[in-house]
Amino acid sequence: MGPILITRFVNYLSEDDRDSNYKTGLILSSIFFLSKTVESLSQRQWYFGAQRIGIRIRAALMVLIYKKSLSIKYGTMSNGKVVNLINVDVEKIGEFFWHIHGIWLLPVQVLLALVILYMNLGFAPSMAAFISTVLVMVSNTPLANRQKDYQTKVMESRDSRIKATAEILKSMRVLKLHSWESNFKKKLIDLREKERNWLKKYLYTCSAIAFLFWTSPTVVSVSTFGVCIFLRTPLTPGVVLSTLATFRILQDPIYNLPELVSMVAQTKVSLDRIKEFIIDQDGKQSVEPQSLEPSSSVAIEIEPGEYAWDTNDSDQRRPTIKISSKMKIPKGFKVAVCGSVGAGKSSLLCSILGEIPRISGRRIKVFGSKAFVPQSAWIQTGTIRDNILFGRQMNKPFYDEVVDGCGLDRDFETWVDGDLSIVGERGLNLSGGQKQRIQLARALYNASDVYILDDPFSAVDAHTGAHMFKVQTFLKNFHSKCLINLLDQKTVVYVTHQLEFLSASDLILVIKDGGIVQSGKYDELIANPASEFARQIAAHSKSLNQVNPPNEPQTLTMYPQAIQGSHSERKHEPSQTHGRSLETKPQEESQSGRVKLSVYSTFIFSAYKGALVPVIVICHVLFLLLQLGSNYWMAWATEDEGRFSSKTLIGIFVLLSGGSSVFILGRAILLSTIAIETGQNLFLQMITSVFRAPVSFFDSTPSSRILNRSSTDQSTVDVDIPYRLAGLVFAMIQLVIIILLMSHVAWPIFLLCVIIFAISLWYQAYYITTARELARMIGIQKSPIQHHFSESISGASMIRCFNQEVRFLTKCLNVIDDYSRVTFHNTATMEWLCVRINFLFNLVFFLLLVALVHLPRSSINPSKLLYSLQIKYLTELFGLAGLAVTYGLSLNVLQAWVIWNLCNVENKMISVERILQFANIPSEAPAIIENCIPETNWPSRGEIELKDLHVQYHPALPTVLRGITCTFPARKKIGVVGRTGCGKSTLIQALFRVVEPTKGQILIDGLDISKIGLHDLRSKLGIIPQDPTLFQGTMRTNLDPLEQHSDHEIWEVESLIAFENLRVVWYRVSGLIFVCFNVLNKCQLADNLLKMAKTGALDNGNSALLQKRTILVLDEATASIDTETDNVMQRTIREETSRCTVITIAHRIPTINDQETMI
C-alpha cells in the first residue's frame, strides 16, 4: 500500500484547498499508521513463528543424528564430522526458516511492484522494469552455483580440521610428553589454511553477489525511466516519488535475494551432508539377542563364518577372523581366549558382540543379555557410582559385593567423596588400573547372562589382580572372587595374556592368524607339546623362571636416600592418600554483564590494526549520499516539464547511481577482506594459547568446550559477526540520514526522534540484560550436547551391548531440550523488543505525516510564489517533503533493524568473547629459555637425582609424592613398582614437568630441569606412556608422525620389536592403511608395539632402537602384550638400550626382574 498512499498523499499536498481540508490528510495519515502497525505485528509474528519452527527442526535433526551415530558400527564414525554436523549444519538449517517465506514472498513482492508500476507508468515501463529484474536475477545463477560449491568445500575442510582437532585434544598428553605439540599445531594450522582459502573464495563470491544486487536497483531504475523518457510518459514528482517507493519495494526482494540465495545454497549443502550421513546404512547385524530360556543349556552358538573389518577389501580370501567349525558354549562355562599379539582375539570377541562385519557364514547367536569389558576403558564423565550402576537401580548389598570383588573398596576409602567422586572426561584423573576395575564393576553389577571380558587384568598390579582373581596355588588351583563368587552361574568369555589365569577355565580357545587353531581344557591342550598353546606356555614359563625363587633373598641396589624416602613413604602411606579427592567436574566459565569494549576493540583492530574500517564507513556514506542524490534529482528535475533535457536527466541519474555502485563494490570487497583476516587472527591466538596450556587444563576441561569454540564460535566469527557489525553501522548511518531529512522538512520531528530514541534505548537496556545472559547460556548449553554426543560415540559398542540406548537417548533429549528452551526464550525476548520499537517509530512516522498535513500550503507549494526569491528553496522543500515520506515508509523497519542488530551483535560478540577466553589460558613453562639452553649432547650420561621431591596436582589437594630423595644411576635399568594409584605415573610426570614440583629438585646430569625450557627437556627424553595412542592415517604416519625417516629405517626398527608378525595383520586389515580413530579393531597390543616403534623410529639414525635417547621411560609399555612378545621386547630393550638409563613401570614381575635398581 505504500506507493499508492504516497501518490495520494503527495497529490493531497499539492492541492489548492488543502488548508481547509485537514480531514482528508488526517485520514490518509491514519491509514498510513494503521497499515504500518499491521505490517509490523504481522512481520514479528512471522519471524517468531519461523524461529519456533527452526528450533524444533534443529532439535529433531540433532536427535536424528544422535540415533544414527549410536547405531553405526564397525568403527566408521568420525567424531569431528558429527561435531560439525550439529554445530554448523544443523544450525544453518535452523536459521533457514527465518528466510523460508522469502522463497514465495519474493515473487509476490515483485508482482505487486510491477502492478503498481503499471498503474503509474503504463505497460512499457513496467515491462522494462520486469525484464531488467529478471535479467539481474538470472545473471546471479552462475555466482549462486559457484557459491554453493565453495560452501561445500568450506564445510569439508572444516570437517577435516575439527576431526584433527578432536584427535589432537584426545592425545594432547602424549604430544606434550614427546614435545610434538608444535609440529601438530602446524598441521592444524595447515588444515585451517586450506579452509581459509576456500572461505576466501566463498566470501569474495558473496561480495560479487552483493554488488550485483545492490547495483540492480540502478539497472531497473535506469531502464524504467529511460523507457518513460523515450515514450514521453509524463513524469511528475508524485509519479516519480511513487515509482521510487515502488523501486524500494522491488529493491527489498532484490537486496534480500543474495542472502536468500546464499542461505538456500548453505542449507542445501547442509541438508545433503546430513542426508548422506543418515542414509549411510550399516552392515547387517551379526548378533541377534534372544531371551534366555529357562530350559536352554546353550549360552552362545558360534557358527562357521568369516569376518573382516574392511568389507571393501578386494582380497576376501584373508578375513580378520575365520571360524571353521560350529561351536556351542554351554551356560555357566568360563571360556578363556589366548594367543599372540595381533592373532585376532579382540576381533573374535567383536564377532560375538556383532561389532565386526560378517562377510560369509551364519550369524553368531547369543542367548540372553550381555556385558562387555573392552580392552581400552570407557569411562563416563560423572560419579564413579554412576559409572558402576550404569542406569540400574542401587542394590546396596550387591553393590558392595561387586566393589569388593573388583578391589575398589580401598580406592573408595582414600577418596574424600568415595564412590561419589567425580571423574573427568574419559577418566583422565584415574589411573589405568582404576579405570579397568570400574568398568569391570560396571559389567558385574549389570547381572547379565553372558560376560565378554577383553584382557581385564592387564592394567592392574599383581596384588590387585590376585585379589580380583584370588590365586591360591600358582598355575594350579585358584578361585576367583569375580569368576566364582560373582559369576558362578554366568557364562564368561575372557581374553588374557596372563596365562596363569587359564587353568580355572572350562574351555580354552587358542587363536592364531585369525583362526581358532585349538580348543579344549587346560590339561588336554598342555598334553600336546607341539601345539601353539604349549609354545605359549613354554614362553611364559621361561619368563617366570627368570624371576628369583622366593627362598632367595632379593637384592635391591638402593642408595641411602632412596631407602630413607621409601621407608618414609610406606610409613605415611595411609595418611598420604587419605583425604585424596578426585577433581570435581568444573562448570564452564562465562562472563557476566555487558560484553566489554576490549572485546569489540580486539575484534575491530584484529585485521590490519583497523585501518580498513574508516575506509569502509566512508564508502557506505558516499553510497547513501549518491543514492539519495539520484532519487532527489529525479524528483526535483521532473517537477517542471522541460527544465532539463532527456539526455541530461537520465545522464546525471546514471552518473549518480553508477557512482553509488562503485562504492558499494569497494565496501563489499573490503568487508570480506577484513572478515577473512579477523577470523584467521583470532583462530591463531586461540590455537596457540590452547597448545601452550598445561596438561592440567586438558584434564579438567572437556574437549567439547574447545571443539565448540573451534567450530561454532569460529564459524560465527568467520562468516557472521563482521557482516552483522558492519550492517549495524550501515543501518545507523542510514537511519541518521533519514531522520535528518525528515527534520529538514519539519524540524519538530528531530525532537520527537530524540525522545523516541531515548525510550528505545531504555527498552534496549532493559532487554539486553536478559538477552546477553541468554546468549551466553546458549553457548554453555551447547557444550553438554557435544560432550554427550562425543562420549556416546566413543562408547557406542558398550551402550548397545548393555541395551542402554533408550537411557542415553533420553539424556540426549534432555540436554537438547535445555538448549532449545534457552534458544526459545532468547528468540521471544528479541521479538518482545522489536514489537515495541516498531510501534514507537510507526508513531514517529505518523506524527511526521500529521505535521506535513498542518504545514501551510504556502510553505510547501512553490507555484504561488514563483516570483519570490525563495523559489529555489521552496522547490527543494517540496521535493524533500515527498522524499521524506518516501524514505519514512521504511523508518520503522530500519529503526527496528538497528535496535535488533544492536542487541544481536552483542549476543554474537559473545563468540568472540569465548574465543578470547581460550586465547588467554595460563601457559605452562616456556618451551625454550634462551639464556639457559642445555648443550647439544645433554644428557650425556643419564643420571637422575631427586632431592626432597614434593608433588601435588592442585594446591587444594594433598601432596601425592612427599619428600622423595634418591638417585637413578646413569645407564642403569631402574624398575618402579607399587600398588595401582600409588603415584608411579606421577613420578614420571614430574620428570617430564607435566606437573611442577611444589618443593625439591630433579637433576639430570647435574642440571636442574626446572631451569630449562620444556621443549629442551622433553625432546631429550624418550617415553612410552601408559595410555596407547594412535593417530588417524597410515601405519607409516603413526610410526613417524614428524616424517623424519625413510621407510627402510622404519622397517629396521620394526624388525627389532617383533613387527614381522604384525605385517600380515596389517595387510589383512587394510593393507598399510590403519584408520584408528575410535575404531574397535584398534588392537591395544598393536598400540603398544606401535608406541615402541614410534619412539624408536623418531630417534633412529643408524637403525638402532632409541640410540639417541639417553633416558627412556617405559610406563606399562607391555601390559597388554602376550608373554612371548613381551620376552622379545624386553630382550630388544636390553640389547638396544645398553647405554641408556631405562626407567620401567610395570605390573608384571618378569618384566622388571632384570632391573638393576628397584623402587
Side-chain angles (χ1 to χ4, degrees):
M1 293 179 62
I4 298 175
L5 290 175
I6 284 178
T7 303
R8 296 293 302 273
F9 195 79
V10 171
N11 292 336
Y12 165 77
L13 291 178
S14 61
E15 291 176 357
D16 293 335
D17 60 343
R18 179 178 66 84
D19 293 340
S20 60
N21 191 13
Y22 290 114
K23 185 177 180 180
T24 302
L26 292 176
I27 290 175
L28 287 173
S29 301
S30 300
I31 293 174
F32 257 122
F33 177 72
L34 181 62
S35 63
K36 295 299 293 182
T37 301
V38 172
E39 176 197 355
S40 299
L41 291 175
S42 302
Q43 189 180 53
R44 299 331 306 177
Q45 285 294 328
W46 160 23
Y47 287 156
F48 183 53
Q51 291 189 81
R52 288 177 62 189
I53 295 174
I55 292 172
R56 293 172 178 174
I57 293 295
R58 186 186 297 118
L61 287 176
M62 285 184 180
V63 173
L64 190 62
I65 292 172
Y66 182 79
K67 287 182 177 179
K68 181 63 179 178
S69 61
L70 207 60
S71 65
I72 288 181
K73 299 184 179 181
Y74 316 143
T76 57
M77 174 62 58
S78 167
N79 199 2
K81 182 174 183 178
V82 173
V83 169
N84 224 12
L85 286 176
I86 62 174
N87 276 347
V88 180
D89 296 296
V90 170
E91 291 295 330
K92 286 293 181 186
I93 296 173
E95 292 173 3
F96 173 71
F97 287 90
W98 177 282
H99 307 269
I100 190 171
H101 290 291
I103 296 175
W104 65 267
L105 193 60
L106 188 145
V108 172
Q109 287 178 303
V110 172
L111 180 62
L112 291 176
L114 292 175
V115 170
I116 295 172
L117 286 176
Y118 175 76
M119 294 170 59
N120 288 336
L121 301 176
F123 177 76
S126 61
M127 285 305 297
F130 174 72
I131 293 172
S132 57
T133 301
V134 171
L135 288 176
V136 169
M137 292 182 175
V138 170
S139 63
N140 177 65
T141 304
L143 289 174
N145 291 334
R146 181 171 296 182
Q147 183 188 43
K148 177 184 175 183
D149 294 339
Y150 289 154
Q151 173 70 9
T152 303
K153 295 295 184 181
V154 169
M155 299 303 296
E156 290 175 354
S157 57
R158 185 171 294 152
D159 272 350
S160 301
R161 178 175 62 83
I162 298 300
K163 186 187 302 182
T165 303
E167 185 180 46
I168 288 172
L169 293 176
K170 182 180 178 182
S171 309
M172 187 59 75
R173 179 183 292 271
V174 174
L175 298 184
K176 286 186 173 293
L177 288 175
H178 288 289
S179 193
W180 292 343
E181 61 265 40
S182 59
N183 301 86
F184 278 80
K185 185 181 78 170
K186 184 178 181 302
K187 291 182 180 180
L188 202 57
I189 292 175
D190 290 342
L191 289 174
R192 169 64 184 179
E193 190 62 31
K194 293 179 182 178
E195 178 189 357
R196 180 172 175 250
N197 290 335
W198 290 115
L199 186 65
K200 188 182 299 184
K201 295 178 181 179
Y202 169 74
L203 291 180
Y204 282 136
T205 304
C206 292
S207 300
I209 294 176
F211 165 72
L212 177 64
F213 285 98
W214 278 93
T215 308
S216 60
T218 300
V219 177
V220 176
S221 301
V222 169
S223 62
T224 304
F225 286 131
V227 171
C228 289
I229 292 173
F230 178 76
L231 297 177
R232 299 184 182 276
T233 302
L235 293 176
T236 64
V239 170
V240 169
L241 291 175
S242 177
T243 302
L244 290 175
T246 305
F247 287 156
R248 293 183 69 83
I249 294 176
L250 193 61
Q251 185 177 325
D252 284 340
I254 294 178
Y255 280 180
N256 293 332
L257 190 57
E259 186 176 6
L260 181 61
V261 170
S262 174
M263 184 58 65
V264 170
Q266 294 178 32
T267 305
K268 180 66 167 57
V269 171
S270 297
L271 278 173
D272 289 342
R273 285 161 50 82
I274 294 178
K275 178 183 176 183
E276 180 185 0
F277 177 79
I278 295 298
I279 65 176
D280 182 21
Q281 296 297 326
D282 295 337
K284 295 181 179 180
Q285 187 173 352
S286 57
V287 172
E288 185 176 311
Q290 303 181 28
S291 300
L292 186 63
E293 300 177 3
S295 59
S296 176
S297 61
V298 177
I300 304 174
E301 284 187 6
I302 301 178
E303 300 285 349
E306 295 182 348
Y307 301 82
W309 291 110
D310 187 5
T311 56
N312 296 322
D313 189 2
S314 58
D315 188 4
Q316 297 292 341
R317 295 170 298 175
R318 308 189 68 175
T320 305
I321 287 293
K322 182 176 182 180
I323 302 174
S324 303
S325 58
K326 184 175 182 179
M327 185 180 303
K328 292 185 179 181
I329 299 177
K331 285 179 55 179
F333 257 47
K334 309 300 181 288
V335 181
V337 181
C338 64
S340 60
V341 58
K345 302 180 296 299
S346 297
S347 296
L348 176 64
L349 299 189
C350 290
S351 67
I352 297 175
L353 294 170
E355 299 293 340
I356 180 173
R358 173 167 49 89
I359 59 178
S360 67
R362 301 177 62 183
R363 66 175 180 270
I364 298 177
K365 297 180 181 179
V366 177
F367 297 89
S369 58
K370 307 182 298 296
F372 179 46
V373 178
Q375 198 170 19
S376 297
W378 178 70
I379 302 295
Q380 284 186 275
T381 303
T383 66
I384 296 176
R385 177 181 293 179
D386 290 340
N387 271 277
I388 296 175
L389 296 180
F390 205 55
R392 297 178 66 87
Q393 295 295 323
M394 167 63 82
N395 181 345
K396 186 61 175 175
F398 182 56
Y399 178 82
D400 292 338
E401 186 179 2
V402 168
V403 168
D404 179 61
C406 295
L408 286 169
D409 48 348
R410 179 181 177 274
D411 297 286
F412 290 174
E413 293 172 0
T414 62
W415 296 328
V416 172
D417 298 323
D419 62 346
L420 295 179
S421 300
I422 302 292
V423 296
E425 187 179 21
R426 303 189 309 275
L428 289 175
N429 50 353
L430 296 172
S431 69
Q434 289 167 339
K435 288 188 286 187
Q436 194 68 273
R437 285 180 281 133
I438 288 174
Q439 70 166 357
L440 181 60
R442 174 202 299 150
L444 294 175
Y445 190 80
N446 192 62
S448 301
D449 301 306
V450 178
Y451 287 82
I452 312 294
L453 313 179
D454 194 354
D455 204 5
F457 307 113
S458 60
V460 298
D461 60 87
H463 180 84
T464 306
H467 174 77
M468 296 167 65
F469 216 91
K470 285 297 179 184
V471 180
Q472 289 184 353
T473 305
F474 195 63
L475 280 177
K476 294 293 181 182
N477 298 320
F478 57 91
H479 303 283
S480 164
K481 200 163 188 174
C482 291
L483 295 184
I484 299 301
N485 295 346
L486 296 174
L487 302 177
D488 185 25
Q489 302 297 323
K490 308 295 184 180
T491 304
V492 182
V493 180
Y494 64 98
V495 170
T496 183
H497 289 122
Q498 293 164 290
L499 302 185
E500 60 268 24
F501 294 157
L502 295 179
S503 58
S505 61
D506 300 304
L507 178 66
I508 299 175
L509 302 179
V510 183
I511 308 295
K512 182 180 181 181
D513 295 337
I516 302 175
V517 295
Q518 285 182 275
S519 63
K521 292 190 175 183
Y522 183 87
D523 294 335
E524 297 173 357
L525 297 180
I526 199 67
N528 184 2
S531 64
E532 172 69 16
F533 181 75
R535 187 179 64 83
Q536 293 187 24
I537 291 295
H540 183 67
S541 301
K542 179 181 178 181
S543 176
L544 291 176
N545 291 335
Q546 296 174 3
V547 183
N548 292 329
N551 57 355
E552 289 187 17
Q554 190 76 2
T555 302
L556 300 181
T557 308
M558 297 296 295
Y559 286 73
Q561 303 97 307
I563 297 174
Q564 182 180 357
S566 248
H567 279 277
S568 175
E569 191 173 354
R570 285 196 297 269
K571 178 179 177 181
H572 295 89
E573 183 177 0
S575 61
Q576 172 189 333
T577 57
H578 183 68
R580 179 184 171 194
S581 174
L582 292 180
E583 190 171 346
T584 58
K585 181 183 178 182
Q587 296 297 321
E588 182 169 1
E589 295 182 6
S590 65
Q591 303 293 329
S592 58
R594 298 186 65 90
V595 176
K596 297 178 181 178
L597 291 178
S598 59
V599 177
Y600 286 93
S601 62
T602 301
F603 181 81
I604 293 172
F605 293 102
S606 179
Y608 309 107
K609 298 182 179 179
L612 296 181
V613 173
V615 179
I616 293 177
V617 173
I618 292 173
C619 286
H620 185 70
V621 171
L622 292 175
F623 159 72
L624 288 177
L625 292 178
L626 289 173
Q627 189 184 52
L628 182 63
S630 65
N631 294 338
Y632 178 72
W633 163 258
M634 289 301 297
W636 177 73
T638 57
E639 182 176 345
D640 291 333
E641 186 176 357
R643 176 179 292 182
F644 297 100
S645 65
S646 300
K647 185 181 294 185
T648 303
L649 181 66
I650 198 68
I652 294 179
F653 180 72
V654 170
L655 183 64
L656 292 174
S657 299
S660 67
S661 300
V662 172
F663 287 111
I664 206 67
L665 175 62
R667 188 195 79 175
I669 293 176
L670 292 177
L671 186 56
S672 295
T673 303
I674 285 182
I676 294 167
E677 189 67 19
T678 300
Q680 183 71 3
N681 290 340
L682 290 178
F683 172 80
L684 292 177
Q685 290 181 39
M686 179 181 66
I687 209 67
T688 300
S689 176
V690 168
F691 272 82
R692 289 292 303 141
V695 174
S696 58
F697 169 78
F698 301 97
D699 291 345
S700 60
T701 304
S703 59
S704 59
R705 295 180 187 173
I706 305 175
L707 291 175
N708 200 3
R709 287 163 172 82
S710 296
S711 55
T712 304
D713 293 325
Q714 186 63 47
S715 177
T716 303
V717 169
D718 285 337
V719 299
D720 196 350
I721 295 180
Y723 298 94
R724 287 191 185 275
L725 188 59
L728 172 63
V729 175
F730 299 158
M732 291 178 68
I733 294 173
Q734 187 174 355
L735 182 63
V736 170
I737 290 176
I738 291 177
I739 290 175
L740 291 177
L741 177 63
M742 294 168 60
S743 302
H744 186 66
V745 176
W747 66 267
I749 295 298
F750 180 78
L751 297 178
L752 183 62
C753 286
V754 171
I755 296 173
I756 296 298
F757 255 115
I759 297 175
S760 299
L761 291 176
W762 180 84
Y763 269 123
Q764 188 263 349
Y766 181 79
Y767 154 81
I768 197 63
T769 304
T770 302
R772 186 192 308 116
E773 301 308 319
L774 285 172
R776 288 193 174 106
M777 290 174 65
I778 287 174
I780 293 174
Q781 292 295 337
K782 192 67 174 290
S783 293
I785 297 177
Q786 295 181 357
H787 180 73
H788 185 64
F789 269 66
S790 177
E791 198 170 59
S792 299
I793 291 170
S794 61
S797 60
M798 298 285 293
I799 296 171
R800 289 192 293 267
C801 180
F802 284 84
N803 297 321
Q804 292 290 319
E805 293 94 335
V806 174
R807 184 171 69 89
F808 275 78
L809 179 59
T810 302
K811 183 178 179 181
C812 177
L813 294 175
N814 290 336
V815 294
I816 291 176
D817 285 345
D818 292 340
Y819 172 71
S820 299
R821 192 176 297 114
V822 175
T823 306
F824 171 80
H825 288 305
N826 186 56
T827 300
T829 54
M830 177 65 71
E831 299 306 323
W832 176 90
L833 176 68
C834 289
V835 167
R836 285 155 178 78
I837 300 300
N838 278 349
F839 177 79
L840 288 175
F841 276 82
N842 286 337
L843 184 62
V844 172
F845 182 60
F846 172 70
L847 295 178
L848 168 68
L849 298 179
V850 172
L852 291 176
V853 168
H854 285 81
L855 281 176
R857 164 68 178 161
S858 58
S859 65
I860 294 294
N861 192 352
S863 61
K864 293 183 179 181
L865 301 172
L866 292 178
Y867 62 89
S868 174
L869 295 176
Q870 301 176 6
I871 180 171
K872 182 177 180 181
Y873 171 76
L874 291 174
T875 303
E876 293 174 355
L877 184 62
F878 179 78
L880 288 175
L883 204 61
V885 176
T886 302
Y887 277 87
L889 271 178
S890 60
L891 179 66
N892 68 317
V893 176
L894 183 61
Q895 192 276 340
W897 170 253
V898 169
I899 297 297
W900 180 84
N901 222 4
L902 185 65
C903 301
N904 201 31
V905 162
E906 183 162 5
N907 293 342
K908 292 292 183 180
M909 285 298 292
I910 292 174
S911 292
V912 180
E913 181 183 74
R914 285 160 54 82
I915 289 177
L916 292 178
Q917 183 184 21
F918 273 27
N920 296 285
I921 303 170
S923 176
E924 61 182 356
I928 298 176
I929 301 177
E930 295 296 337
N931 59 354
C932 193
I933 298 178
E935 298 178 359
T936 306
N937 63 342
W938 180 88
S940 57
R941 296 182 298 112
E943 182 182 75
I944 303 174
E945 186 177 358
L946 310 180
K947 292 184 176 181
D948 193 25
L949 182 65
H950 291 69
V951 175
Q952 62 181 146
Y953 286 98
H954 190 273
L957 298 178
T959 302
V960 180
L961 301 180
R962 303 203 305 170
I964 296 181
T965 300
C966 64
T967 299
F968 296 170
R971 299 174 182 173
K972 299 293 184 181
K973 308 295 185 292
I974 299 97
V976 180
V977 296
R979 292 285 301 274
T980 299
C982 70
K984 302 184 296 297
S985 295
T986 302
L987 178 64
I988 303 306
Q989 292 186 63
L991 178 63
F992 283 79
R993 292 180 63 188
V994 171
V995 56
E996 299 285 355
T998 56
K999 182 181 178 183
Q1001 289 180 312
I1002 300 178
L1003 305 178
I1004 297 180
D1005 284 359
L1007 177 62
D1008 188 350
I1009 63 173
S1010 64
K1011 306 297 184 184
I1012 63 175
L1014 292 182
H1015 177 76
D1016 291 331
L1017 169 66
R1018 294 168 180 171
S1019 62
K1020 299 292 185 178
L1021 306 179
I1023 183 172
I1024 305 174
Q1026 184 176 12
D1027 295 326
T1029 301
L1030 289 174
F1031 303 103
Q1032 178 147 356
T1034 64
M1035 280 291 188
R1036 173 69 168 80
T1037 57
N1038 270 278
L1039 295 173
D1040 185 15
L1042 307 187
E1043 300 179 357
Q1044 296 177 341
H1045 301 277
S1046 66
D1047 291 344
H1048 177 69
E1049 291 173 325
I1050 291 177
W1051 280 118
E1052 285 187 339
V1053 174
E1054 291 168 358
S1055 64
L1056 292 175
I1057 54 173
F1059 261 51
E1060 294 292 337
N1061 293 333
L1062 280 183
R1063 293 191 192 185
V1064 65
V1065 178
W1066 298 347
Y1067 178 76
R1068 185 168 63 245
V1069 172
S1070 55
L1072 280 177
I1073 304 299
F1074 195 90
V1075 180
C1076 49
F1077 186 76
N1078 284 340
V1079 180
L1080 279 174
N1081 60 321
K1082 180 180 67 174
C1083 177
Q1084 190 165 356
L1085 316 181
D1087 280 1
N1088 289 82
L1089 289 177
L1090 276 172
K1091 290 190 296 179
M1092 294 288 293
K1094 200 184 300 182
T1095 308
L1098 289 172
D1099 294 297
N1100 178 18
N1102 298 306
S1103 303
L1105 181 66
L1106 306 171
Q1107 184 175 0
K1108 293 184 179 180
R1109 286 289 190 266
T1110 308
I1111 299 176
L1112 172 64
V1113 178
L1114 308 178
D1115 189 359
E1116 295 291 346
T1118 62
S1120 299
I1121 295 176
D1122 64 272
T1123 307
E1124 183 181 7
T1125 307
D1126 186 19
N1127 292 338
V1128 175
M1129 292 177 63
Q1130 295 304 326
R1131 184 179 68 250
T1132 302
I1133 292 172
R1134 286 192 296 270
E1135 294 173 355
E1136 302 298 329
T1137 62
S1138 58
R1139 299 179 60 83
C1140 301
T1141 302
V1142 181
I1143 303 174
T1144 303
I1145 296 178
H1147 289 142
R1148 287 182 179 178
I1149 301 302
T1151 302
I1152 55 175
N1153 71 304
D1154 62 341
Q1155 305 298 300
E1156 298 165 285
T1157 301
M1158 298 293 296
I1159 294 181

